[in-house]
Amino acid sequence: MSSLSLSPALDIPISSESNSSATIAETLSLKTDDHRFYNWLFDCHGFWHNFFLILSSALFLLYLAFQAKKCYTKLCNGRSHIINSYYGIVWLVTLLNFAWCCLQIWECTPGKTLSWNLLSLFTTSGLLFLEVSLIAFLLQGNYTSSTEALTRTFAISAFLVGLDICLKGIYVFAFGVPLFIESEHSHRMKWGLWIVHKLVPTAVYGFILFMYHSSWRERLPARPAYHKYITIMFGVNGLTLFACFLSGTGFWFWLYDIIDICYHALYLPLIYKTFLADFFQEEDLNLDNVYYSEMKDAGFFDSDWE
């Protein structure tokens, strides 16, 4: 027991127990913070799952931030409504995807189920909008630089993505189907929807890939980067569809999970490289000459295509 002397006639005792209680409370607070950090990074899916998602999404977000000044100058000088709009949407979806990757612990927290479902719904819908809009862009052929083409592309994409949001919302919030809870791998309604959800884009990508290897090839934009993108997305969606069909077995659920991780980690860099990278090149290149060289290397001017 110690005392605090205010005057010769007055001594106020101060218990040492109060100091020890404050120390214990501070220690418990630090331990709680450490426990929360441990849960955030290690629980639910495990360290490597969370670390890979957070690191990859953070790196791409930093890349966009470092390129923002140069991109803004190019956007102002380029006067392309399609590129301007698409770049803004890429930024928005990147932020959503980064939040989704950082908040994986919500999936395993009972009180955060609604928040996780909403975040997952908007994030996946944003990624789907980028997919659909690029497909709509490709199917319009080489005449896609006008404002009408931009309006038509985004109207088609918004309509299809809106239908997708409504369907998923009914499944999740009306019927309680755990679409975005990966631990529920035996739910039939869930995997039935994902089969349909992957079957449609697989068929579309397969059709465009067929066009690239047929006499309809000249109707598509003649850039090899688009052909590579379609090939990659056809393979990814086809493999995911196959994993959904066999989702009842452990290996195929594990494969579906791996593909989903890679999709959230790598799809945005892929679509940026495919659609936006050339526009934001540091040198003022004449893109028409670049595209002509790529077309020539790809054999678009061979006699077989005449």
Side-chain angles (χ1 to χ4, degrees), residues 193-240:
L193 178 62
W194 284 133
I195 287 173
V196 176
H197 194 269
K198 296 301 178 181
L199 180 62
V200 174
T202 302
V204 173
Y205 285 124
F207 175 72
I208 298 176
L209 198 60
F210 169 76
M211 290 180 65
Y212 268 111
H213 294 87
S214 69
S215 58
W216 296 344
R217 181 177 184 175
E218 59 185 14
R219 299 184 181 182
L220 298 172
R223 289 206 58 204
Y226 292 150
H227 179 264
K228 293 177 183 177
Y229 169 83
I230 294 298
T231 304
I232 292 172
M233 294 307 297
F234 174 73
V236 169
N237 280 273
L239 191 59
T240 307

Side-chain angles (χ1 to χ4, degrees), residues 27-40:
T27 303
L28 290 175
S29 176
L30 292 174
K31 288 183 178 180
T32 301
D33 292 339
D34 292 340
H35 183 65
R36 288 177 180 175
F37 177 77
Y38 181 89
N39 290 342
W40 172 69

Side-chain angles (χ1 to χ4, degrees), residues 19-286:
N19 292 331
S20 62
S21 298
T23 303
I24 293 173
E26 183 178 356
T27 303
L28 290 175
S29 176
L30 292 174
K31 288 183 178 180
T32 301
D33 292 339
D34 292 340
H35 183 65
R36 288 177 180 175
F37 177 77
Y38 181 89
N39 290 342
W40 172 69
L41 195 58
F42 288 86
D43 281 2
C44 199
H45 296 289
F47 172 76
W48 291 112
H49 178 284
N50 298 333
F51 177 76
F52 181 71
L53 281 174
I54 294 171
L55 179 63
S56 58
S57 60
L59 287 176
F60 183 66
L61 185 61
L62 288 174
Y63 175 79
L64 287 182
F66 284 131
Q67 297 289 321
K69 184 177 180 180
K70 182 181 71 175
C71 292
Y72 178 76
T73 303
K74 282 283 189 178
L75 291 171
C76 293
N77 296 332
R79 298 178 181 179
S80 172
H81 298 293
I82 292 178
I83 297 295
N84 292 357
S85 302
Y86 212 75
Y87 179 73
I89 295 171
V90 167
W91 255 107
L92 176 61
V93 177
T94 300
L95 292 173
L96 279 172
N97 190 63
F98 178 69
W100 185 87
C101 294
C102 291
L103 297 174
Q104 292 288 299
I105 188 63
W106 282 7
E107 184 180 346
C108 306
T109 306
K112 295 291 186 180
T113 302
L114 177 61
S115 301
W116 173 253
N117 284 332
L118 288 173
L119 179 61
S120 299
L121 179 63
F122 287 116
T123 302
T124 55
S125 298
L127 292 167
L128 181 63
F129 183 89
L130 292 175
E131 277 197 64
V132 174
S133 57
L134 185 53
I135 290 173
F137 174 84
L138 290 175
L139 291 178
Q140 291 181 71
N142 298 309
Y143 305 100
T144 54
S145 59
S146 64
T147 305
E148 292 182 1
L150 171 67
T151 304
R152 185 166 54 249
T153 298
F154 285 172
I156 295 172
S157 304
F159 175 75
L160 294 177
V161 173
L163 289 178
D164 183 75
I165 291 176
C166 291
L167 180 61
K168 289 178 181 175
I170 292 172
Y171 265 67
V172 174
F173 302 112
F175 299 128
V177 178
L179 285 181
F180 306 113
I181 308 298
E182 293 187 7
S183 59
E184 298 290 341
H185 58 272
S186 60
H187 202 288
R188 292 185 178 181
M189 289 184 65
K190 169 184 175 177
W191 293 108
L193 178 62
W194 284 133
I195 287 173
V196 176
H197 194 269
K198 296 301 178 181
L199 180 62
V200 174
T202 302
V204 173
Y205 285 124
F207 175 72
I208 298 176
L209 198 60
F210 169 76
M211 290 180 65
Y212 268 111
H213 294 87
S214 69
S215 58
W216 296 344
R217 181 177 184 175
E218 59 185 14
R219 299 184 181 182
L220 298 172
R223 289 206 58 204
Y226 292 150
H227 179 264
K228 293 177 183 177
Y229 169 83
I230 294 298
T231 304
I232 292 172
M233 294 307 297
F234 174 73
V236 169
N237 280 273
L239 191 59
T240 307
L241 176 63
F242 194 52
C244 289
F245 272 116
L246 301 175
S247 57
T249 61
F251 171 76
W252 293 105
F253 177 73
W254 174 82
L255 178 62
Y256 176 87
D257 190 41
I258 292 294
I259 296 173
D260 190 56
I261 293 172
C262 294
Y263 179 77
H264 281 275
L266 304 175
Y267 178 71
L268 287 167
L270 173 64
I271 206 167
Y272 184 91
K273 175 65 176 177
T274 301
F275 195 73
L276 297 173
D278 283 339
F279 186 83
F280 294 130
Q281 283 182 352
E282 186 173 355
E283 299 82 9
D284 291 326
L285 298 175
N286 185 339

